[in-house]
Amino acid sequence: MEAEKTTDRTVLEIKGLNKSFGNNHVLKGFYLKLNKGENLVIMGKSGSGKSVMIKCLVGLLALDSGAIIIKDKNITTLSQEALDILRTEIGFLFQGSALYDSMTVRENIEFPLRKHKKKLGIIESTETLVLEALESVGLADAIDLMPSELSGGMKRRVALARALILKPKIMLYDEPTTGLDPITAKEIIQLMRNIQKKYKTSSLIITHDVDCARVISNRIILLIDGTNYIEGTFDELSNSEDPKVKAFFK
Amino acid sequence: MISISIVREIGPEIISLICAGRIGSGIGAELGSMKVTEQIDAMEVSGTNPFNYLVVTRILATILMLPLLIIVGDALALIGSAIIENLKGGVSFVLYFNKVFDALHYNDIIPAITKSFFFGFTIGLVGCYKGYTCKKGTVGVGLASNTSVVYASLLLFVIDFIAVFVNDVLF
């Protein structure tokens, strides 16, 4: 297993990521560093490669070239078992929530615990952990409901609770507010901030919601045509005179 | 003749075709739906191997349960034909079942049960493969369900052909 030292502050690093689908070069040498406790937002228009990047990050898609280093481990060289263990330190919120629709809310949240509870040495009871996760997202009453009985915002909250059940150190959010009404979107953003405070997570957030980026970001990377176009704080980018950057923050 | 044809061919083949339609399409649609709504990705990200959790379990279930279903189906078919023979031909149940068990031999039953394990494997494998590799959103789910039935049904006939051939060579 190859170990590549990142700085003490860096928990996740992408180096020269290239990914193509046939002749479509989606990511061309993309790079980033996520620091401990930081909220890093990746913005870009639809089809710019944001979701492909985040799927490469968790090993759902294979890279063409480049390296992804999470907690000093290059995920491209890890065995499946080692990758599965590393994945327990990463929480992933899918754009469409991706709740298992044949399971209740309780079973959905319990699911990651089934395999990893013993391995991770978690001693609390499953019931306690599920209730704690649901209380963190304000949905303790929905524990026995099926996903089909939940609204879009509730589904997103349950998915967040499921992502949090193993108390990950890194949270990845794939468009967390897409498809939600403005009030629910604000609630989800507030929830993400609360989670960062409570669990002390570092977060990588993919979004094109400017409000979300304004409230939550410490730093923003603009991804255009598969490359890092510009990087900076929300204030720096929102005051940029570059027409491509301005188009996002109008 | 009735008992031999039921146990050797009609029972396994018809029941397997019905299961290819019902179970194969169900597995294809369910896994396809999970694929397009990123549920399989979510399972993988949570550190659970979705292949073991979703595919292996379903294939094992079809391998183990289809032979049992075929045994039950064969028994019901023989009971049904006994009732008809009794009502229309006046043949007593005792005489009918004596004739049935006289006609049946191990080399009728064992190959039929053996091939039903392969039928179960085929139904599970095709349904899982089509669902697991489903693309193109909801259209893809329909397609996965549909092609699961078509391919599984065709393969059942191919396997049956091979089974008959092997049976002829061995017995």
Side-chain angles (χ1 to χ4, degrees):
Chain A
M1 186 177 71
E2 186 186 347
E4 299 197 20
K5 262 291 181 209
T6 53
T7 65
D8 288 344
R9 287 188 63 221
T10 307
V11 289
L12 186 157
E13 184 173 4
I14 298 177
K15 292 177 180 175
L17 174 58
N18 288 294
K19 179 68 189 171
S20 305
F21 297 96
N23 291 327
N24 182 17
H25 299 287
V26 180
L27 292 168
K28 302 163 195 164
F30 181 77
Y31 60 90
L32 67 77
K33 272 186 183 181
L34 175 67
N35 297 320
K36 201 172 182 179
E38 183 185 34
N39 284 334
L40 174 59
V41 169
I42 311 290
M43 294 184 82
K45 63 179 185 179
S46 299
S48 59
K50 305 184 300 290
S51 293
V52 170
M53 183 273 291
I54 208 166
K55 283 185 175 172
C56 289
L57 201 53
V58 286
L60 287 174
L61 288 174
L63 332 179
D64 292 344
S65 63
I68 293 174
I69 298 151
I70 301 174
K71 295 199 146 191
D72 298 333
K73 291 176 187 128
N74 187 344
I75 69 154
T76 54
T77 58
L78 290 179
S79 65
Q80 187 60 47
E81 196 180 349
L83 182 61
D84 284 346
I85 291 168
L86 184 64
R87 279 169 170 163
T88 62
E89 299 193 46
I90 303 169
F92 194 121
L93 181 70
F94 284 83
Q95 188 178 347
S97 302
L99 295 179
Y100 310 126
D101 49 19
S102 58
M103 300 181 193
T104 63
V105 167
R106 179 200 302 271
E107 289 163 342
N108 262 280
I109 297 172
E110 276 175 6
F111 192 84
L113 283 171
R114 288 185 189 175
K115 188 176 176 192
H116 299 292
K117 196 177 171 199
K118 277 186 186 168
K119 277 186 190 169
L120 297 176
I122 298 170
I123 50 167
E124 293 106 315
S125 74
T126 302
E127 182 74 12
T128 311
L129 291 167
V130 170
L131 275 172
E132 186 193 334
L134 275 175
E135 276 162 11
S136 320
V137 297
L139 273 182
D141 295 340
I143 191 162
D144 289 318
L145 296 180
M146 295 299 287
S148 57
E149 296 172 285
L150 305 174
S151 67
M154 289 165 87
K155 280 183 187 168
R156 210 62 62 92
R157 282 164 183 260
V158 172
L160 203 46
R162 185 178 64 184
L164 288 170
I165 192 77
L166 295 175
K167 299 188 169 61
K169 291 294 165 214
I170 300 168
M171 278 298 296
L172 308 176
Y173 298 92
D174 189 3
E175 308 206 4
T177 56
T178 299
L180 300 177
D181 64 87
I183 295 167
T184 311
K186 276 180 189 158
E187 286 171 4
I188 295 288
I189 294 166
Q190 190 54 46
L191 203 53
M192 288 161 65
R193 295 181 73 178
N194 295 344
I195 283 163
Q196 196 200 10
K197 278 182 199 160
K198 185 174 175 183
Y199 295 94
K200 297 184 172 45
T201 54
S202 314
S203 307
L204 185 67
I205 302 137
I206 284 182
T207 187
H208 36 70
D209 179 348
V210 176
D211 279 339
C212 175
R214 181 175 53 77
V215 174
I216 208 158
S217 68
N218 299 120
R219 192 158 54 97
I220 299 173
I221 293 174
L222 205 55
L223 178 62
I224 296 179
D225 297 331
T227 56
N228 302 55
Y229 187 75
I230 194 169
E231 183 176 333
T233 62
F234 182 85
D235 288 338
E236 285 166 355
L237 297 195
S238 58
N239 292 321
S240 169
E241 290 302 315
D242 186 317
K244 282 187 178 174
V245 181
K246 266 178 124 176
F248 272 96
F249 292 90
K250 260 183 183 175
Chain B
M1 273 310 282
I2 290 172
S3 59
I4 292 173
S5 60
I6 285 175
V7 170
R8 273 191 174 190
E9 286 302 326
I10 297 173
E13 193 62 36
I14 298 290
I15 291 168
S16 299
L17 284 171
I18 292 168
C19 287
R22 191 175 162 78
I23 302 170
S25 65
I27 291 174
E30 189 181 8
L31 294 193
S33 162
M34 289 184 78
K35 178 81 178 174
V36 299
T37 55
E38 296 182 310
Q39 291 176 50
I40 293 179
D41 286 346
M43 208 169 269
E44 196 165 350
V45 167
S46 74
T48 301
N49 184 336
F51 185 81
N52 287 346
Y53 190 80
L54 298 171
V55 175
V56 175
T57 50
R58 279 165 174 75
I59 293 177
L60 277 178
T62 51
I63 289 173
L64 294 174
M65 296 316 291
L66 191 67
L68 293 179
L69 193 63
I70 286 171
I71 291 168
V72 173
D74 285 354
L76 287 174
L78 290 173
I79 292 167
S81 62
I83 292 169
I84 297 298
E85 284 288 349
N86 183 261
L87 291 176
K88 295 285 182 188
V91 180
S92 74
F93 289 114
V94 176
L95 178 63
Y96 178 84
F97 280 107
N98 276 335
K99 290 281 183 193
V100 163
F101 291 120
D102 280 347
L104 283 176
H105 300 286
Y106 284 118
N107 60 4
D108 297 316
I109 298 167
I110 290 171
I113 300 297
T114 307
K115 74 180 174 186
S116 64
F117 284 102
F118 289 96
F119 287 171
F121 175 74
T122 305
I123 292 167
L125 183 73
V126 173
C128 287
Y129 175 76
K130 287 290 171 187
Y132 207 78
T133 54
C134 169
K135 285 173 186 155
K136 299 177 188 169
T138 46
V139 176
V141 176
L143 209 59
S145 172
N146 195 343
T147 51
S148 297
V149 180
V150 173
Y151 285 115
S153 304
L154 279 174
L155 282 170
L156 290 178
F157 283 111
V158 173
I159 292 168
D160 196 35
F161 170 78
I162 296 168
V164 169
F165 182 76
V166 171
N167 195 26
D168 279 351
V169 171
L170 292 178
F171 301 102

